[in-house]
Amino acid sequence: RQKIGLYHINNMGNKSELVSGIQYLNNQFSEESLLLSIRRRNLLYKDWMFFELEPFIEFKQENDYRREFGLAIRLIAYYGKK
């Protein structure tokens, strides 16, 4: 599996950031895909719980590289000692 990406992070203050990126994926069956996305990450609680909203466009080889639109919604919690 091969995964390559380029990302740009824009800090929008002390509680949120905007991450834009492009990602190429080639899996074990030699199927390729390209993903373009913009992700907004907001701090929800203290410094360990985040909410992300990521609209994206994906171009998969198995679908003849036709556009597929999607939206990823994530709740992320980090735990452990620093």
Side-chain angles (χ1 to χ4, degrees), residues 5-37:
L6 280 167
Y7 300 93
H8 179 265
I9 300 171
N10 184 15
N11 193 345
M12 300 173 60
N14 61 349
K15 291 192 176 185
S16 77
E17 61 187 23
L18 196 63
V19 180
S20 54
I22 182 170
Q23 179 179 313
Y24 169 80
L25 173 68
N26 188 343
N27 69 16
Q28 63 187 5
F29 305 110
S30 294
E31 294 173 347
E32 295 179 328
S33 68
L34 183 67
L35 183 94
L36 304 169
S37 69

Side-chain angles (χ1 to χ4, degrees), residues 22-77:
I22 182 170
Q23 179 179 313
Y24 169 80
L25 173 68
N26 188 343
N27 69 16
Q28 63 187 5
F29 305 110
S30 294
E31 294 173 347
E32 295 179 328
S33 68
L34 183 67
L35 183 94
L36 304 169
S37 69
I38 297 177
R39 178 183 333 149
R40 172 122 187 205
R41 177 182 290 167
N42 293 321
L43 181 62
L44 283 181
Y45 184 71
K46 295 193 178 183
D47 64 348
W48 58 268
M49 186 173 284
F50 299 88
F51 175 74
E52 285 187 353
L53 192 61
E54 181 180 15
F56 62 87
I57 302 173
E58 189 169 20
F59 303 89
K60 291 182 179 179
Q61 180 183 17
E62 64 189 41
N63 294 331
D64 295 325
Y65 299 102
R66 288 190 296 261
R67 288 184 304 239
E68 294 181 45
F69 298 95
L71 178 66
I73 301 170
R74 298 181 189 94
L75 181 63
I76 301 169

